[in-house]
Amino acid sequence: MCGIVAYIGHREACPIVLKGLKRLEYRGYDSAGVALLGADKQFKVYKKSGKVTDLEESIGSQDTTAHTGMGHTRWATHGVPNDVNAHPHMSGSGKFAIIHNGIIENYAALKSALVKRGHEFKSETDTEVLIHLIEEVYDKNDVTFEEAVRMALTQVIGAYAIVILSNQDPNYLIGARKGSPMVIGVGENEHFIASDATPIVEYTRNVIYLNDGEMAIIHNNQLTVKTIDNTIKTPYIQELEINLESIEKGGYDHFMLKEIFEQPRSILDSFRGRIHINDGRISMAGIDKFEDKFKNLERIIIVGCGTSWHAGLVGEYLFEDFARIPVEVEYASEFRYRNPVIDERDFVIAISQSGETADTLAALELAKSRGATIFGVCNVVGSSIPRLTDAGAYTHAGPEIGVASTKAFTAQVTALLLMALSVAQKRGSISTQRLREMMIEIETLPAKVEKALLTDDQTKKIAEEFKDTKNALYLGRGYGFPIALEGALKLKEISYIHAEGYPAAEMKHGPIALIDEEMPVIVIATNHSNYEKVISNIQEVKARKGKVIVIATEGDTHVASMADHVIYIPDCEESMLPLIATIPLQLLSYHIAVLRECNVDQPRNLAKSVTVE
């Protein structure tokens, strides 16, 4: 979740590092810092609690001359957010500086041993322990800087992405990763290290994604990749697909709003080239690879966290509706801690926007260790989940900078819909005619999402009425239930209003006690199955003076007579409802958060990519 940027080359390092940190602000953080190392072999370290702009103001006109440097945005794990605990951290004698994303699980034992040997610590962080350990190995073993880092890491238990500098040689820059992402940018006589590609794309499109247990050693403009146990690796350089424009706001007030309005394109990109109406087939290489397995498959397990878990719930409905395969949807954070029953007969689908979610990676590793076939649904090319899985499907949503996921959710659902239909065709559980009808309907989705986006002005007016509410309830049945969960999550994430999503029928089993004239209840009541039952739920809310906001199918005048507000969306196949109905809920949450003067793109305490457990 912390952000890492480092540079070594012919340019001034500080401007590159600071700009890169701003590009990583979406990851969530509470402090920031930089370490610069010039030709005089003297470290210049500046760090500050708060935002990158606070760090810039703190630096002011101080000397930042250096062609080597690194920067960090911290999301606190060990130690409160303050200037002292902010990264970078220095070794005892000041020879080495480090920035770190992750958690050193055995830091307490390491620290205790180091203290007994005379080390003194300034911060409460686990990171400072690691840099002291590296210095001790360096001093006591008469080894090189590179060897000291490698030897120290063999003693570390936990997850990390680290960058280390040494004033013994300013032409050295070392990065290493285990369980946390790291990308190396390769330019002309210059190199970059970052948590993801967004700080790099402005300078080079050639990148290397480090694998777990690998180190990148940059020395005198030469890059070497080794494993922690000192095996030299041949790195694979790939070209970035993102461009600079895609990570800028493009005239929108917030990244989240931009990404909401990008959904017609991101949904199109997620099915483009995969549906072939004339041939009556869906082509997905990852699914085609396991055609024989799907024909007799008895169970699918879907794992994810947060919004990705909600997409997984939609996936459950899709696979069971079309492919007729039993599906279990698991929180990745709980999956590996309850000794799940899983073996080589199972097919496990992991959903993650970033492809780096620590809990989801851990769930996959468990499933893989027990022989299951593992499949990834991810948005970021080259991330850890695609490299771990047997096969997968990219969602092609493009970079998503806003912490609250919007276009990634609908892209995930689009990919899952195609997967379910493809598997259904392979199992013979869907007719050729029905499959063709579904593909025709899929092609209409971008236009229908465009139409749903026209509710923007209406949702803004509704937001003005409910911006000061303390609680909200979201209700839906069938495909409407995951939409209710996702709508509630969006509201609580960015506006800090307590909100819960429930199956509409469950309202009578507890939540109905909360309803009064102050409680807004948002109901997905489109003209699909269970429509009449949802109407009954609306009447129950109105009988208790609740305020009802309904997401309804255009032309439905019946529901308007009992609701305080009706937001109309285009008619669609019921299985595609999550792709349409979620749009006004995203807009409603956005406008409420803006009116409450919340930080929409960087909600408090949240990070875009949760890379620690």
Side-chain angles (χ1 to χ4, degrees):
M1 291 180 287
C2 305
I4 284 174
V5 184
Y7 174 80
I8 186 168
H10 54 85
R11 311 182 203 226
E12 283 293 321
C14 193
I16 294 171
V17 169
L18 289 173
K19 184 183 287 188
L21 292 180
K22 290 178 181 178
R23 293 250 167 86
L24 292 174
E25 285 183 317
Y26 70 92
R27 295 175 69 89
Y29 68 103
D30 46 56
S31 58
V34 297
L36 306 169
L37 184 57
D40 61 359
K41 298 186 178 182
Q42 298 298 309
F43 277 116
K44 306 180 189 76
V45 178
Y46 309 103
K47 50 188 189 175
K48 188 74 175 173
S49 62
K51 300 296 184 182
V52 176
T53 52
D54 298 317
L55 173 64
E56 285 184 305
E57 291 176 5
S58 175
I59 293 173
S61 60
Q62 296 181 75
D63 181 22
T64 59
T65 304
H67 297 295
T68 301
M70 61 186 184
H72 184 270
T73 54
R74 178 177 185 248
W75 194 88
T77 54
H78 295 84
V80 298
N82 59 28
D83 293 358
V84 175
N85 288 329
H87 296 213
H89 289 287
M90 305 298 297
S91 62
S93 69
K95 290 190 183 83
F96 304 105
I98 188 172
I99 54 178
H100 168 221
N101 176 21
I103 294 177
I104 306 302
E105 294 177 6
N106 63 332
Y107 88 99
L110 292 172
K111 185 174 185 177
S112 177
L114 289 166
V115 168
K116 288 178 181 177
R117 294 195 291 269
H119 289 258
E120 296 181 2
F121 294 89
K122 297 178 180 178
S123 77
E124 303 169 84
T125 67
D126 53 335
T127 305
E128 190 184 5
V129 175
L130 179 54
I131 199 64
H132 275 253
L133 178 63
I134 290 169
E135 182 175 74
E136 182 176 89
V137 172
Y138 180 83
D139 289 340
K140 288 187 175 181
N141 293 278
D142 191 28
V143 293
T144 65
F145 172 34
E146 172 194 331
E147 290 171 328
V149 173
R150 184 176 58 78
M151 292 169 65
L153 290 179
T154 63
Q155 302 180 48
V156 166
I157 299 171
Y160 54 79
I162 56 172
V163 179
I164 308 164
L165 291 173
S166 169
N167 65 11
Q168 306 300 290
D169 190 341
N171 296 314
Y172 249 122
L173 185 65
I174 294 179
R177 69 153 290 189
K178 181 183 179 184
S180 292
M182 179 168 283
V183 58
I184 313 300
V186 181
E188 292 290 333
N189 297 317
E190 59 184 354
H191 290 84
F192 308 80
I193 300 178
S195 298
D196 64 39
T198 52
I200 291 174
V201 65
E202 182 174 351
Y203 308 101
T204 180
R205 304 191 69 81
N206 297 320
V207 299
I208 297 164
Y209 291 93
L210 279 192
N211 293 310
D212 257 8
E214 289 185 345
M215 295 172 55
I217 302 102
I218 302 160
H219 189 222
N220 293 328
N221 281 326
Q222 298 298 312
L223 170 65
T224 304
V225 175
K226 293 183 176 182
T227 63
I228 302 295
D229 61 7
N230 208 29
T231 301
I232 294 178
K233 307 291 287 187
T234 301
Y236 171 64
I237 299 177
Q238 62 187 79
E239 186 173 348
L240 288 174
E241 295 181 1
I242 65 173
N243 53 56
L244 189 59
E245 291 75 20
S246 68
I247 58 174
E248 302 291 349
K249 289 181 183 176
Y252 288 89
D253 289 338
H254 299 92
F255 282 110
M256 182 180 179
L257 186 63
K258 173 178 179 259
E259 288 153 8
I260 290 172
F261 276 86
E262 285 176 340
Q263 286 174 106
R265 177 58 183 268
S266 58
I267 290 171
L268 173 63
D269 287 345
S270 293
F271 72 71
R272 187 201 306 271
R274 288 171 166 168
I275 62 174
H276 308 277
I277 296 175
N278 293 336
D279 297 338
R281 66 184 177 87
I282 292 175
S283 62
M284 300 186 79
I287 295 297
D288 295 343
K289 180 178 178 180
F290 298 104
E291 181 168 359
D292 291 339
K293 179 159 188 163
F294 281 122
K295 288 177 181 177
N296 300 301
L297 191 63
E298 297 180 0
R299 181 174 69 155
I300 292 173
I301 300 171
I302 299 177
V303 296
C305 299
T307 287
S308 294
W309 186 79
H310 296 159
L313 286 180
V314 178
E316 177 183 20
Y317 293 12
L318 293 169
F319 277 102
E320 292 191 346
D321 268 358
F322 296 112
R324 308 306 298 155
I325 302 174
V327 178
E328 297 175 14
V329 183
E330 302 270 4
Y331 283 112
S333 55
E334 289 294 317
F335 182 68
R336 72 183 179 121
Y337 290 111
R338 60 171 186 78
N339 194 22
V341 178
I342 184 169
D343 58 34
E344 67 278 358
R345 295 171 294 178
D346 292 314
F347 192 88
V348 178
I349 300 172
I351 307 174
S352 167
Q353 188 281 140
S354 66
E356 302 290 352
T357 310
D359 289 315
T360 307
L361 276 165
L364 274 183
E365 287 167 352
L366 172 62
K368 188 172 186 175
S369 71
R370 297 190 181 180
T373 301
I374 56 175
F375 192 97
V377 176
C378 296
N379 189 38
V380 180
V381 176
S383 56
S384 295
I385 286 177
R387 295 205 301 271
L388 177 66
T389 50
D390 298 307
Y394 284 116
T395 54
H396 303 298
E400 187 179 65
I401 306 301
V403 168
S405 184
T406 52
K407 66 176 181 174
F409 171 73
T410 51
Q412 288 168 350
V413 172
T414 302
L416 290 165
L417 172 61
L418 297 180
M419 290 165 60
L421 292 172
S422 179
V423 172
Q425 185 177 36
K426 293 174 180 8
R427 290 171 64 88
S429 58
I430 189 171
S431 68
T432 301
Q433 178 60 30
R434 177 62 175 146
L435 179 61
R436 185 171 280 109
E437 291 170 355
M438 290 294 294
M439 289 192 288
I440 291 171
E441 183 70 14
I442 289 170
E443 288 202 323
T444 70
L445 283 171
K448 289 182 177 180
V449 172
E450 287 275 13
K451 198 166 186 180
L453 287 166
L454 296 177
T455 64
D456 185 39
D457 287 341
Q458 183 187 7
T459 57
K460 187 173 184 179
K461 290 177 182 177
I462 296 172
E464 290 170 352
E465 181 177 341
F466 293 104
K467 65 181 176 66
D468 295 321
T469 191
K470 298 291 192 295
N471 301 282
L473 187 63
Y474 288 69
L475 301 175
R477 287 181 183 242
Y479 283 98
F481 170 47
I483 300 168
L485 290 172
E486 178 60 13
L489 178 62
K490 285 289 135 324
L491 186 66
K492 71 179 78 170
E493 279 182 316
I494 63 172
S495 72
Y496 318 139
I497 293 172
H498 174 252
E500 296 296 335
Y502 270 88
E506 289 295 307
M507 178 182 65
K508 294 188 291 293
H509 297 276
I512 197 168
L514 300 172
I515 294 172
D516 58 23
E517 60 273 13
E518 302 297 325
M519 168 77 87
V521 181
I522 299 90
V523 186
I524 292 86
T526 52
N527 63 353
H528 296 109
S529 60
N530 298 314
Y531 174 76
E532 293 298 334
K533 293 185 181 298
V534 176
I535 292 298
S536 296
N537 296 135
I538 292 172
Q539 291 169 332
E540 290 167 348
V541 172
K542 291 305 295 179
R544 288 154 181 85
K545 300 182 180 181
K547 300 292 185 181
V548 176
I549 303 165
V550 174
I551 307 298
T553 306
E554 11 177 52
D556 183 355
T557 56
H558 176 55
V559 75
S561 65
M562 60 190 75
D564 296 275
H565 300 278
V566 181
I567 303 172
Y568 288 111
I569 60 172
D571 193 13
C572 64
E573 284 275 348
E574 185 170 9
S575 59
M576 301 178 200
L577 181 63
L579 296 166
I580 310 297
T582 195
I583 303 299
L585 300 184
Q586 293 171 352
L587 289 167
L588 181 63
S589 297
Y590 169 79
H591 288 303
I592 287 175
V594 169
L595 290 169
R596 289 168 65 89
E597 299 183 350
C598 299
N599 190 334
V600 173
D601 287 333
Q602 299 166 42
R604 67 188 183 203
N605 302 330
L606 295 180
K608 183 68 179 174
S609 179
V610 183
T611 57
V612 295
E613 289 189 68

